[in-house]
């Protein structure tokens, strides 16, 4: 049975975009939310924005700055948060490079930030959740796990790896009341996406650039627009609920239909 509020929820990489939107969703539900980023000032600033968005009726917002792509950063998280009810492995990076020009360092960096960070946290917290017979672990993957662009194969590799990792961990906690799932967002209107579009289309208004982008680059999208971070957060929040107790080991899409298959 789901623990009574406030649940304790860690969302990594929650200083902007999908992570920040997810933090707002959980806080509005009365949960205690740990906001995480690498930079202390930026993390506290995000926590303040979330507090302002939620108001006095929401749950507590706690800023926990740590670089979870490192072992030391993970240890800082473990020292600050003894137990979690919900872990959202959202921290991630992406860069663009020609397929044969991606260096060993870039391959390693993407793996350490996007995959190994979530592995470390899940390895620590999921067994503790299992001891209490309830918990939710959610990896934020991407539609690029299934439809990897050639200029982002190092990123796509990490997002595909998250599918395997989450399924394996789900098997590892089978029958305990803990679920482990992947959420696969499609193109989402984050600050990074806005900057990307501005560079691609020379600073024309966002709405016009968005139309061109989906006509030229993502024609399989069925909604013909970017997903909003709040729309992705809605699915994350549901997967963490008691109502999703029979959903585990799954890859759940909130991609606007951009993946041109029914099953990932």
């Amino acid at each position: 049975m789901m623990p009574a509020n406030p649940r304790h929820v860690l969302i990594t990489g929650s200083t902007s975009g999908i992570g920040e939107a997810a933090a707002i969703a959980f806080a509005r539900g009365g949960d205690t939310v740990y906001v995480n980023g690498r930079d202390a000032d930026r993390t506290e600033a995000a926590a303040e924005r979330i507090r302002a968005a939620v108001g006095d009726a929401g749950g507590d917002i706690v800023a926990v700055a740590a670089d979870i792509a490192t072992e030391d950063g993970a240890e800082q998280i473990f020292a600050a948060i003894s137990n979690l009810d919900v872990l959202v492995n959202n921290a991630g990076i992406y860069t663009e490079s020609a397929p044969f020009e991606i260096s060993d360092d870039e391959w390693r960096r993407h793996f350490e930030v996007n995959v190994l960070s979530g592995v470390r946290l899940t390895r620590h917290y999921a067994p503790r959740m299992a001891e209490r017979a309830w918990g939710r672990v959610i990896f934020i993957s991407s539609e690029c796990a299934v439809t990897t662009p050639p200029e982002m194969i190092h990123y796509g590799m990490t997002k595909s790896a998250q599918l395997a990792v989450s399924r394996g961990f789900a098997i590892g906690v089978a029958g305990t009341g803990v679920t482990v799932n992947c959420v696969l967002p499609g193109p989402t209107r984050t600050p990074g996406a806005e900057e990307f579009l501005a560079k691609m289309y020379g600073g024309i208004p966002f709405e016009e650039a968005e139309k061109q982008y989906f006509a030229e680059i993502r024609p399989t999208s069925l909604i013909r627009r970017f997903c909003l971070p709040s729309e992705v957060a809605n699915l994350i929040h549901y997967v963490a609920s008691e109502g999703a107790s029979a959903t585990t080991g799954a890859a759940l899409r909130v991609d606007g239909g951009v993946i041109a298959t029914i099953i990932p």
Side-chain angles (χ1 to χ4, degrees), residues 31 36 72 80 88 103 126 142 170 181 187 193 200 210 214 228 235 256:
D31 295 319
N36 164 254
D72 288 346
V88 181
S103 68
S142 167
N181 291 287
M200 178 178 286
E210 182 179 43
F214 281 93
L228 300 178
L235 180 56

Side-chain angles (χ1 to χ4, degrees), residues 64-119:
V64 183
D67 183 357
I68 60 165
T70 67
E71 291 184 46
D72 288 346
E75 290 295 333
Q76 291 174 40
I77 294 289
F78 303 153
I81 310 168
S82 57
N83 286 302
L84 288 173
D85 301 300
V86 179
L87 168 62
V88 181
N89 291 310
N90 173 70
I93 58 169
Y94 66 89
T95 60
E96 297 179 343
S97 298
F100 301 106
E101 296 176 7
I102 304 168
S103 68
D104 286 0
D105 285 344
E106 276 298 278
W107 280 103
R108 291 190 191 97
R109 188 166 76 100
H110 276 71
F111 180 77
E112 289 172 354
V113 176
N114 296 1
V115 182
L116 196 52
S117 64
V119 168

